[in-house]
Structure formats: C-alpha cells, structure tokens
Amino acid sequence: MIKLVLTDLDGTLTEDRGIYKVSLDAIKYLRLLEERGIKVALVSGNSYPVLRGLHNYLGFSGGVVAENGCVVFYKQKIRVCKPMDRQILEEFKEKFKLKDSWQNDYRECDFGFTPPDITEEMIKWAEEKGLYINSSGYALHIAFKPAGKMVGVRKLIELHGVKKEEVIGIGDSLTDLDMFKEVGIKVAVGNAEEELKKEADIILNLKSGEGVKELVTMILEGKLDGRNR
C-alpha cells in the first residue's frame, strides 16, 4: 500500500523541463492523494525556505527534502550534511566562471550555480576536494559528501516510520537517481533524462506536470497495488 509520494519540483511539477511555471493541474491531482491519506513530499535541490513555503501553500503534508538531500523537514527541521565552506564556493565560482543562484543567500550545505553544465574538469576538481557535484538541468550543485537526495530521502522515510516499499518517487533529472535508490517504486516523467528512465520502474507517457497527473491517476485506480512486493 502506498503511503508516501516523493516528487521532484523543477521539470517534474512544472509544466515542462527548463521552465519555472508550476503545473496547477499536477498540484490539484496531488491534493487528491492527500485527501485519501497518501502524504506528498517535495524532494528538490531548491533551498529550504522555497520548498517549505511551497509545501505549506500547496497543501502537502509529507515534508520536504531540500538542498539535494542536505536539509529535511517533517515536523522538525534537520540538517543532514556538513555546512559548506564559503571559500570553496568562491573558488568554484571563479575557477569555472559561474554565477550564483539567487537562492544561495538562503542555503546552508548545497549551493547552486549557472550555467548548469558539468565538465570533466569540474568533476575532477570536486573529487579532489571531497565534494558532491551534480546538475538538475537548472543549476549545478556542490556540497560536502555525503550528499545527494538519497541521504535526505532516507532520513525523511525514517521520520515517517514507513517502509521503502510503501514509497513512490517521481522525477526527471540525474539528481533523482539518488532518490530512486531509497524508494519502492521509481517513476520517471515522459520527458526525463534517458539515464533516469533506464533506472525507472515506470516511464510515464506524458511530460512533467502532465506525467504527475498520469501517475496520480494510476495510484487512485489501484494500478500500482502490489507492484512493489
């Protein structure tokens, strides 16, 4: 029985990848899950204030995994990663000619930069400094290891006291590969990155927010019952 649905934000709850308009229809459908006792949580690289505000105003009750797993909220706020060294941030930004995400003023552990393209040189630099590095397609993210959505999702599921098999995760980008490691049913929206689709149990026909509606319909119609056993 599904008790918790974890959804990415950018590219998943939005109308499409690469844009910021949230799909109002997707939100409406996710609220149907909440009405039936299935909690919905936001799992994203966005900062805690942004996600906590959305969580409240969108009518969700499952909590938040912010900063790509580094900050978790469910009845209490918990930081699960090491705070970032500001000197490292400046070095990263200057070395690779990057711009700060506006949300960096509100971050603690995982910081975002644009443009969002990762190079081999960046990966080597991050490894030498013991850093996690990834891209959501919207921004580059760095944090001290261990980091990634996996660590935050694991903590959130622990706080809920549910089993992995009772949790669905839906996403669109490579940052969601970490989330997939901790959930019972792995779902990729129709326009997700190919590498994520390869790891998904379900690949939806529709893109982004429309795909979320497709998934919710499957849940409400009982089409996923027993699938993760």
Side-chain angles (χ1 to χ4, degrees), residues 2 28-38 213-225:
I2 302 304
K28 178 181 178 180
Y29 271 65
L30 288 171
R31 283 177 174 170
L32 295 177
L33 295 182
E34 288 275 356
E35 291 172 6
R36 287 158 175 77
I38 300 173
K213 289 171 55 180
E214 183 182 350
L215 173 63
V216 171
T217 299
M218 293 170 69
I219 296 171
L220 295 178
E221 292 178 351
K223 293 181 179 179
L224 302 186
D225 291 347

Side-chain angles (χ1 to χ4, degrees), residues 1-30:
M1 178 180 176
I2 302 304
K3 295 183 179 179
L4 179 64
V5 172
L6 309 180
T7 178
D8 173 51
L9 177 59
D10 297 318
T12 302
L13 282 187
T14 50
E15 293 178 355
D16 203 345
R17 300 191 72 201
I19 64 173
Y20 294 96
K21 286 185 179 179
V22 172
S23 167
L24 299 182
D25 284 341
I27 302 307
K28 178 181 178 180
Y29 271 65
L30 288 171

Side-chain angles (χ1 to χ4, degrees), residues 10-75:
D10 297 318
T12 302
L13 282 187
T14 50
E15 293 178 355
D16 203 345
R17 300 191 72 201
I19 64 173
Y20 294 96
K21 286 185 179 179
V22 172
S23 167
L24 299 182
D25 284 341
I27 302 307
K28 178 181 178 180
Y29 271 65
L30 288 171
R31 283 177 174 170
L32 295 177
L33 295 182
E34 288 275 356
E35 291 172 6
R36 287 158 175 77
I38 300 173
K39 295 182 181 297
V40 177
L42 296 172
V43 180
S44 171
N46 282 281
S47 64
Y48 174 74
V50 168
L51 293 179
R52 179 68 192 280
L54 284 172
H55 178 265
N56 288 359
Y57 284 105
L58 297 180
F60 300 157
S61 66
V64 161
V65 175
E67 294 192 24
N68 282 315
C70 286
V71 181
V72 176
F73 170 78
Y74 181 63
K75 299 181 179 179

Side-chain angles (χ1 to χ4, degrees), residues 45-50 66-68 71 83-86 88-94 98-115 134 136 138-143:
N46 282 281
S47 64
Y48 174 74
V50 168
E67 294 192 24
N68 282 315
V71 181
M84 178 50 73
D85 183 327
R86 294 283 173 170
I88 289 179
L89 293 177
E90 289 303 314
E91 180 181 341
F92 182 61
K93 184 170 63 172
E94 291 177 12
L98 302 170
K99 294 183 179 180
D100 278 294
S101 161
W102 66 268
Q103 293 188 50
N104 282 355
D105 287 342
Y106 313 102
R107 294 179 181 274
E108 301 176 45
C109 309
D110 174 287
F111 284 72
F113 300 90
T114 57
N134 212 331
S136 65
Y138 286 73
L140 277 173
H141 291 267
I142 61 169

Side-chain angles (χ1 to χ4, degrees), residues 40-200:
V40 177
L42 296 172
V43 180
S44 171
N46 282 281
S47 64
Y48 174 74
V50 168
L51 293 179
R52 179 68 192 280
L54 284 172
H55 178 265
N56 288 359
Y57 284 105
L58 297 180
F60 300 157
S61 66
V64 161
V65 175
E67 294 192 24
N68 282 315
C70 286
V71 181
V72 176
F73 170 78
Y74 181 63
K75 299 181 179 179
Q76 59 180 315
K77 179 187 174 187
I78 301 173
R79 188 176 66 207
V80 296
C81 301
K82 179 182 175 182
M84 178 50 73
D85 183 327
R86 294 283 173 170
Q87 289 185 338
I88 289 179
L89 293 177
E90 289 303 314
E91 180 181 341
F92 182 61
K93 184 170 63 172
E94 291 177 12
K95 182 177 180 65
F96 298 107
K97 311 300 183 202
L98 302 170
K99 294 183 179 180
D100 278 294
S101 161
W102 66 268
Q103 293 188 50
N104 282 355
D105 287 342
Y106 313 102
R107 294 179 181 274
E108 301 176 45
C109 309
D110 174 287
F111 284 72
F113 300 90
T114 57
D117 307 310
I118 294 182
T119 66
E120 289 298 322
E121 187 181 1
M122 288 177 182
I123 293 172
K124 181 180 178 181
W125 178 87
E127 288 177 349
E128 290 174 350
K129 295 186 178 295
L131 298 174
Y132 161 93
I133 185 169
N134 212 331
S135 174
S136 65
Y138 286 73
L140 277 173
H141 291 267
I142 61 169
F144 284 119
K145 294 179 179 179
K149 291 183 178 181
M150 174 176 59
V151 295
V153 166
R154 188 183 302 140
K155 173 57 71 173
L156 182 66
I157 290 174
E158 175 189 316
L159 293 172
H160 274 275
V162 298
K163 300 176 182 178
K164 178 177 181 178
E165 293 74 23
E166 297 171 324
V167 183
I168 291 177
I170 178 171
D172 74 297
S173 77
L174 297 182
T175 62
D176 297 311
L177 287 169
D178 284 333
M179 174 171 66
F180 276 11
K181 295 174 183 177
E182 298 296 323
V183 301
I185 299 179
K186 305 177 284 289
V187 183
V189 291
N191 57 338
E193 294 192 43
E194 289 303 315
E195 190 172 341
L196 188 73
K197 288 181 178 180
K198 290 177 182 177
E199 299 298 323

